[in-house]
Amino acid sequence: MSFKIAIIGAGSVEFTRKLFSDILKVAEFEDVEFALTDTSEHNLSLIEKVLNTIKEANGLKVRISATTDRRRAVAGARYVVSCVRVGGLEAYADDIRIPLKYGVDQCVGDTICAGGIFYGQRNIPVILDFCKDIREVAETGAKFLNYANPMAMNTWAAIDYGKVDTIGLCHGVQHGGEQIAEVLGVAHEDLDFICSGINHQTWYVDVRVKGRKIGKDELIAAFERHPVISQQEKVRIDVLKRFGVYSTESNGHLSEYLPWYRKRADEIVKWIDMSDWIHGETGGYLRYTTENRNWFETEFPTVLERAKRPLSAYKRSSEHASYILEAIETGRVYRGHFNQKNNGVITNLPSDAIIESPGFVDRFGINMAAGITLPEAAAATCIASINVQRMSVHAAVTGDVDLLKQAMMHDPLVGAICTPEEVWQMVDEMLVAQAEWLPQYAEAIPGARERLKTSTVKTRDWQGSARREVRSIEELRIVKQAS
């Protein structure tokens, strides 16, 4: 069978390589076309060379094209995949650096919290541009597969305002499942679960091993006796004890979505682990991505050499995209966890929210498993984030600064730390710093700049404990220049 797949942000070398090899694991897809597009000609040339090397080494029939002309890449595509980060590391540094001055200590900052809200403000106008291209030049009924964060906000905007059939995809559920299997000491194929909620706040509401249900106490005991995970995932284990369900998200991620674990510098150190950034380090993902931003430059000869291996040497990953395409095109049923409009699927979350929950895919598309009810504490936590997401999406589309500040004020962690005056000034400072990526706020930014000149709100000398000694607060301040 023959159809076209457009990959926007294809300069993400490893992700695109993985997606390409995953899709070609489906025998029926030997004649598909991959159209790669990115704003970086250099990165695009690297990934094009890698994919062509795989093609030639395996005698594949697939067609590969690369262009910086996004509309040309999208033209005629049946599937459009996005993995973009608008503003790159320069904007991302501000997502972490500026809130930290006000005491908002983030490990990742890409979902909600101050960083995630502004990430959405940058991404959503671009996502809507993608949707315009899809409506106008892609194959009729084309599907948009969004891998970019903030997942819920991007997917919400694409569905409600972009008017495109959109599926949000993340790998957090799969990775959490692997962790549960590890602590229980069982094979992954013997584990079955229902995981439901919103992206990065999904909950394992039903866990079974060979059909036997695993209760809260058994799961807590399994996590607490594991010599490594018990130390790395203190927030997740504490939430499991209090909510009765385990979260998909890493210690660092989960801690910044809640108002309890990162609001006092002397408390943060009790809940994080510094063995790896993902367990809670201040600005951990910013540090990691900054230090590894050019890995494909230094490792490219190795990457290219590995591309000469037979396709059989590549293990098909657990990323959903290739399985979704396989199910829709061949009719072979696939069960996964997808970001879609709720519309009553989770009974105690708002109907308009973007949920992440189990669904089945076949020739008829995605069919979500309905009638799931979350434990009340898990639902309450999700609803707090959904309210922030909703306001953030509407602000990003309309350029409403007041609504943006209201969204920030209602964020659980920001609200636990900052006064309203601090929130208002922090948003003004972020608007000014990121003006080049925020066209919808062009008329409002001069006013923000003037308010900053006369503001009497003082920032804090924040001495957070959840950071490596080599990554001082001053280093976080200058990451933007180093980028």
Side-chain angles (χ1 to χ4, degrees):
M1 53 183 63
S2 179
F3 56 88
K4 183 177 180 180
I5 305 165
I7 304 176
I8 304 174
S12 300
V13 175
E14 180 55 24
F15 176 82
T16 303
R17 197 280 309 160
K18 183 192 298 183
L19 183 62
F20 180 80
S21 57
D22 279 354
I23 290 171
L24 292 179
K25 285 290 188 178
V26 182
E28 291 89 342
F29 292 171
E30 63 176 2
D31 197 30
V32 300
E33 176 183 357
F34 291 86
L36 314 177
T37 185
D38 199 284
T39 56
S40 169
E41 289 187 20
H42 178 61
N43 287 16
L44 203 54
S45 69
L46 295 179
I47 187 58
E48 183 182 20
K49 187 176 290 187
V50 169
L51 300 194
N52 273 315
T53 300
I54 295 173
K55 174 184 175 178
E56 292 163 10
N58 290 275
L60 302 173
K61 294 165 58 179
V62 295
R63 290 152 289 154
I64 301 167
S65 63
T67 177
T68 55
D69 184 342
R70 186 185 69 231
R71 195 171 176 89
R72 179 181 169 190
V74 170
R78 185 174 299 175
Y79 301 96
V80 179
V81 183
S82 169
C83 50
V84 299
R85 174 183 283 280
V86 177
L89 289 180
E90 183 178 1
Y92 183 33
D94 286 328
D95 288 343
I96 304 300
R97 178 183 62 87
I98 294 173
L100 193 58
K101 292 167 57 179
Y102 295 83
V104 181
D105 183 306
Q106 302 166 100
C107 173
V108 184
D110 70 355
T111 302
I112 58 167
C113 207
I117 290 171
F118 263 80
Y119 194 8
Q121 304 309 297
R122 299 192 303 273
N123 267 27
I124 286 173
V126 176
I127 290 286
L128 297 184
D129 285 344
F130 298 169
C131 291
K132 182 175 184 292
D133 287 346
I134 294 169
R135 292 195 311 270
E136 293 178 355
V137 301
E139 185 177 292
T140 302
K143 293 190 183 297
F144 181 34
L145 279 62
N146 175 63
Y147 268 103
N149 283 318
M151 175 61 63
M153 294 186 207
N154 288 344
T155 304
W156 199 323
I159 292 173
D160 278 10
Y161 295 97
K163 304 300 181 184
V164 167
D165 185 359
T166 304
I167 308 159
L169 301 177
C170 184
H171 47 233
V173 171
Q174 299 99 297
H175 291 177
E178 293 164 3
Q179 191 182 65
I180 290 173
E182 180 178 346
V183 300
L184 289 174
V186 302
H188 191 263
E189 56 268 25
D190 292 334
L191 182 73
D192 190 21
F193 53 79
I194 296 172
C195 194
S196 193
I198 63 174
N199 180 242
H200 291 177
Q201 290 177 47
T202 32
W203 310 90
Y204 295 92
V205 296
D206 190 302
V207 177
R208 297 171 188 259
V209 174
K210 294 183 177 180
R212 182 178 70 84
K213 189 164 184 176
I214 306 298
K216 167 188 170 182
D217 291 342
E218 183 176 355
L219 198 56
I220 291 170
F223 274 103
E224 289 191 324
R225 69 171 171 259
H226 194 284
V228 177
I229 295 176
S230 62
Q231 299 306 303
Q232 294 175 335
E233 305 287 6
K234 294 176 185 176
V235 172
R236 292 169 89 178
I237 294 169
D238 192 63
V239 172
L240 168 62
K241 291 177 178 177
R242 299 179 193 281
F243 286 19
V245 285
Y246 195 61
S247 166
T248 51
E249 283 318 296
S250 67
N251 209 63
H253 255 316
L254 183 60
S255 68
E256 64 190 5
Y257 308 145
L258 303 170
W260 311 303
Y261 300 98
R262 299 187 77 92
K263 66 181 178 180
R264 292 203 301 268
D266 60 338
E267 280 288 312
I268 295 174
V269 70
K270 299 177 183 178
W271 296 105
I272 61 95
D273 177 88
M274 298 298 281
S275 62
D276 193 9
W277 69 265
I278 202 168
H279 305 308
E281 177 190 346
T282 299
Y285 191 53
L286 172 62
R287 179 188 62 79
Y288 174 81
T289 51
T290 300
E291 292 173 356
N292 293 278
R293 64 179 307 182
N294 295 320
W295 73 268
F296 51 85
E297 299 280 3
T298 56
E299 300 295 324
F300 188 69
T302 303
V303 172
L304 201 59
E305 187 62 31
R306 288 175 179 168
K308 298 175 183 177
R309 296 180 299 173
L311 198 60
S312 58
Y314 292 96
K315 181 181 179 182
R316 192 174 182 183
S317 77
S318 60
E319 297 287 358
H320 294 299
S322 69
Y323 298 97
I324 291 173
L325 270 59
E326 179 182 7
I328 292 172
E329 297 295 333
T330 71
R332 291 193 281 270
V333 178
Y334 173 61
R335 172 185 163 187
H337 290 78
F338 312 117
N339 285 266
Q340 294 276 270
K341 275 285 182 183
N342 186 20
N343 293 329
V345 168
I346 300 178
T347 63
N348 53 345
L349 291 187
S351 183
D352 64 334
I354 299 297
I355 60 165
E356 187 169 79
S357 203
F360 297 84
V361 194
D362 57 17
R363 289 192 187 277
F364 297 97
I366 292 179
N367 304 280
M368 301 296 284
I372 295 172
T373 300
L374 297 179
E376 289 190 52
T381 293
C382 287
I383 289 169
S385 293
I386 289 166
N387 290 336
V388 172
Q389 291 166 353
R390 183 189 294 108
M391 287 188 283
S392 298
V393 170
H394 294 167
V397 172
T398 63
D400 186 332
V401 174
D402 287 339
L403 188 58
L404 174 60
K405 291 177 176 178
Q406 291 160 6
M408 189 73 77
M409 184 167 61
H410 281 86
D411 177 84
L413 184 58
V414 173
I417 295 167
C418 295
T419 67
E421 291 82 3
E422 289 170 333
V423 171
W424 256 236
Q425 179 173 303
M426 180 172 68
V427 171
D428 279 344
E429 189 172 348
M430 295 181 79
L431 284 169
V432 170
Q434 301 187 16
E436 65 184 289
W437 302 289
L438 300 171
Q440 70 273 47
Y441 295 107
E443 294 183 3
I445 286 172
R449 189 174 285 113
E450 289 302 312
R451 286 190 294 273
L452 288 174
K453 291 179 181 178
T454 59
S455 175
T456 58
V457 176
K458 295 182 179 180
T459 56
R460 309 176 187 189
D461 182 17
W462 180 249
Q463 294 298 315
S465 302
R467 65 181 193 277
R468 298 182 186 276
E469 291 182 4
V470 298
R471 175 61 62 181
S472 68
I473 299 301
E474 182 57 31
E475 285 179 299
L476 280 172
R477 288 193 184 107
I478 64 172
V479 164
K480 179 174 180 179
Q481 292 149 352
S483 300

